C-alpha cells in the first residue's frame, strides 16, 4: 500500500520545496550531486521502461519493491518484462549488462531515491518493513567477493618507485607534491587533492617545526562546517612547499595542469587528473599503467600503517574513515606473517 499522505499543514509549498532542494545542493559534495543526477536518470528511465509511467512523489511501495526485485537477480537467461527493461536501459547507456548489479550499486541508487524524498519532505517507501526485508534478502542472495578499488595498495615501497620518477621539472615537482600529500596526509581521495587551494595550506609552523596543515573543506565524510585540518610533515611537507615556492603560488588552485611546454596553468586540475598522473608515473617507474589506481594511495596509507604497527584509531584520524569496520579491512589485508603482533617476543 502507498505511504499515507502528509496532512496539509505538514506539506511543503512549491517555494519551500525549491528552497529545500537548493539547501541540499549547497550542502552536498559535488561528487554526491553527480551520483544523484545519474541515479535519478536511471530510476526515471527504469520506471518508464517497466510501468510506462513517470516517477511520482511519494513513490508507491509496489514500484519500490519491483525495483528491488528486478535488481537482485541475474536477468541474462530470464526473458520477460524485467529483462526487456534492462535491455532498454543498456541501449540508453544507463546499464552495462544483464547480470545482477552489485549490492552496493543497488544500495546507492536506493539511497539516492530516499534522498529525493527527503528533499520534498516525503516518506520513502523503502522504510516499509516489506521493503527492508526484501533488500536484506536480496543483498544476501547477490553477495559477491569484495573487490578492491585499486589492484594494489601504493605502500611505501611502491611510493618510493613513483617518487624516483619525479625530476625537478615543473611537472616533476607537482607530481611529487601530489603523491606525497595524497599518501602522507592520510590517503586522500582524488577530489580532495584536486579541490585544494593555496589558502587551504597553513605554513605558519613550517619554519619552526617543518610542519604544514592541510585543510579539507569538503570530503566524503565531512563538510565545510567541520572541515578538518590534517598535519603534513617531513619530506611530504618539503615537497608541497617546494611546489608552492617554485611557482610562487600565493592564491588560487594548489595543483594545476602543466602545458606541453612545461608551463603551469592557472586553473585547477580536472577531476580525473590524478588518475592520468598516476598512470604516467607508473609507466616511468617501469610498471604497467593499470598496476594501481588513485585509490591505491588511500589503501596504501592504511596498509603501511598496519605494517608499521600504527593503531587503527590513529590511522583513522588521518584517513577520516567514519567506520572502523571499513578501515579495519585494510589492516586485515596485511599478510599475517607481516603483522607486527607476530614479533612481540622478538
Amino acid at each position: 500500500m502507498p505511504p499515507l499522505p502528509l496532512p496539509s499543514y505538514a506539506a511543503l509549498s512549491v517555494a519551500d520545496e525549491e528552497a529545500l532542494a537548493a539547501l541540499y545542493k549547497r550542502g552536498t559534495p559535488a561528487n554526491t550531486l553527480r551520483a544523484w543526477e545519474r541515479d535519478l536518470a536511471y530510476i526515471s528511465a527504469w520506471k518508464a521502461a517497466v510501468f510506462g509511467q513517470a516517477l511520482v512523489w511519494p513513490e508507491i511501495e509496489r514500484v519500490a519493491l519491483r525495483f528491488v526485485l528486478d535488481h537482485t537477480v541475474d536477468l541474462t537467461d530470464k526473458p520477460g518484462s524485467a529483462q526487456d527493461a534492462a535491455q532498454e536501459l543498456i541501449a540508453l547507456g544507463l546499464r552495462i549488462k544483464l547480470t545482477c548489479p552489485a549490492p552496493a550499486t543497488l544500495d546507492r541508487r536506493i539511497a539516492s531515491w530516499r534522498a529525493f524524498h527527503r528533499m520534498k519532505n516525503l516518506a520513502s517507501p523503502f522504510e516499509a518493513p516489506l521493503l527492508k526485508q526484501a533488500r536484506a534478502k536480496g543483498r544476501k542472495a547477490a553477495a559477491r567477493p569484495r573487490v578492491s578499488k585499486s589492484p594494489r595498495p601504493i605502500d611505501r615501497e611502491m611510493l618510493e618507485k613513483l617518487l624516483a620518477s619525479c625530476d625537478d621539472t615543473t611537472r616533476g615537482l607537482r607530481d611529487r607534491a601530489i603523491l606525497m600529500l595524497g599518501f602522507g596526509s592520510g590517503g586522500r581521495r582524488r577530489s580532495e587533492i584536486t579541490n585544494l587551494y593555496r589558502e587551504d595550506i597553513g605554513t605558519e609552523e613550517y619554519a619552526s617545526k617543518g610542519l604544514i596543515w592541510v585543510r579539507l573543506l569538503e570530503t566524503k565524510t565531512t563538510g565545510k562546517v567541520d572541515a578538518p585540518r590534517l598535519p603534513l610533515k617531513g619530506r611530504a611537507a618539503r615537497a608541497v612547499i617546494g611546489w608552492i615556492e617554485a611557482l610562487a603560488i600565493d592564491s588560487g588552485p594548489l595543483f594545476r595542469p602543466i602545458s606541453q611546454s612545461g608551463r603551469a596553468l592557472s586553473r585547477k586540475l580536472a577531476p580525473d587528473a590524478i588518475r592520468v598522473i598516476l598512470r604516467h608515473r607508473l609507466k616511468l617507474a617501469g610498471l604497467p599503467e593499470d598496476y594501481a589506481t588513485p585509490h591505491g594511495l588511500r589503501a596504501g596509507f592504511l596498509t603501511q600503517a598496519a605494517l608499521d604497527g600504527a593503531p587503527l584509531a590513529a590511522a583513522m584520524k588521518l584517513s577520516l574513515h567514519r567506520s572502523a569496520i571499513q578501515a579495519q579491512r585494510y589492516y586485515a589485508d596485511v599478510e599475517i606473517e607481516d603483522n607486527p603482533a607476530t614479533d612481540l617476543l622478538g
Side-chain angles (χ1 to χ4, degrees):
M1 61 180 294
L4 294 175
L6 291 170
S8 58
Y9 60 79
L12 295 179
S13 66
V14 174
D16 288 339
E17 285 188 5
E18 292 176 350
L20 184 60
L23 179 62
Y24 265 88
K25 189 171 183 178
R26 291 197 307 273
T28 304
N31 286 348
T32 303
L33 287 175
R34 285 193 288 269
W36 282 356
E37 290 172 358
R38 292 195 300 270
D39 291 341
L40 180 59
Y42 182 93
I43 294 164
S44 299
W46 171 84
K47 187 178 179 184
V50 175
F51 294 97
Q53 301 172 357
L55 294 175
V56 297
W57 307 97
E59 191 54 85
I60 61 175
E61 289 183 17
R62 179 173 66 89
V63 172
L65 179 60
R66 175 68 183 274
F67 185 80
V68 172
L69 296 178
D70 283 3
H71 291 83
T72 52
V73 63
D74 186 341
L75 298 174
T76 303
D77 298 317
K78 294 186 180 298
S81 60
Q83 187 189 79
D84 293 341
Q87 289 175 334
E88 186 171 333
L89 292 170
I90 292 173
L92 292 171
L94 295 172
R95 182 167 176 160
I96 299 176
K97 50 191 176 181
L98 293 173
T99 54
C100 181
T105 301
L106 176 59
D107 286 345
R108 195 202 67 236
R109 287 175 177 151
I110 290 175
S112 297
W113 208 342
R114 294 173 65 190
F116 301 141
H117 280 81
R118 288 197 301 272
M119 290 181 196
K120 298 176 179 291
N121 198 32
L122 297 172
S124 163
F126 293 100
E127 304 305 320
L130 178 61
L131 266 295
K132 289 184 177 180
Q133 185 178 35
R135 286 182 64 193
K137 296 287 187 182
R139 191 179 294 111
K140 186 175 182 179
R144 59 186 67 178
R146 182 172 64 91
V147 178
S148 174
K149 294 181 181 179
S150 180
R152 295 169 185 81
I154 300 176
D155 57 13
R156 186 187 296 117
E157 181 179 357
M158 187 190 301
L159 181 64
E160 293 292 358
K161 293 180 180 179
L162 299 178
L163 294 174
S165 74
C166 299
D167 54 22
D168 291 331
T169 62
T170 303
R171 191 181 304 276
L173 291 172
R174 182 201 62 182
D175 294 358
R176 181 185 294 113
I178 285 176
L179 292 169
M180 286 283 208
L181 184 146
F183 183 95
S185 62
R188 303 275 54 90
R189 301 178 180 90
R190 291 182 301 172
S191 61
E192 294 169 359
I193 297 173
T194 57
N195 287 336
L196 284 173
Y197 276 70
R198 172 62 183 86
E199 293 82 354
D200 298 323
I201 306 299
T203 59
E204 300 82 5
E205 298 181 69
Y206 180 69
S208 59
K209 299 181 180 179
L211 172 70
I212 65 175
W213 291 91
V214 180
R215 179 183 62 177
L216 299 176
L217 282 182
E218 287 191 36
T219 73
K220 192 175 181 180
T221 56
T222 61
K224 293 180 180 178
V225 176
D226 55 346
R229 292 177 72 241
L230 302 174
L232 194 66
K233 57 179 70 173
R235 294 168 59 199
R238 292 194 295 273
V240 174
I241 292 296
W243 163 250
I244 292 173
E245 291 180 345
L247 268 70
I249 302 174
D250 55 11
S251 64
L254 178 63
F255 297 119
R256 309 166 181 214
I258 307 295
S259 69
Q260 290 186 349
S261 62
R263 182 174 61 89
L265 307 180
S266 59
R267 65 176 184 268
K268 65 186 291 187
L269 287 172
D272 198 40
I274 305 301
R275 181 185 66 85
V276 176
I277 290 170
L278 178 60
R279 289 172 68 91
H280 175 64
R281 290 298 156 190
L282 285 168
K283 183 177 180 180
L284 291 179
L287 298 168
E289 292 184 1
D290 59 353
Y291 194 80
T293 68
H295 188 78
L297 288 170
R298 190 162 177 78
F301 169 78
L302 286 166
T303 300
Q304 195 63 56
L307 289 170
D308 290 354
L312 177 62
M316 288 177 61
K317 283 187 177 181
L318 288 177
S319 69
L320 301 180
H321 275 90
R322 284 190 298 189
S323 168
I325 295 176
Q326 185 179 17
Q328 177 64 43
R329 289 174 179 170
Y330 298 100
Y331 274 53
D333 286 344
V334 173
E335 293 295 338
I336 189 66
E337 66 267 20
D338 295 327
N339 191 318
T342 61
D343 293 325
L344 295 181
L345 291 178

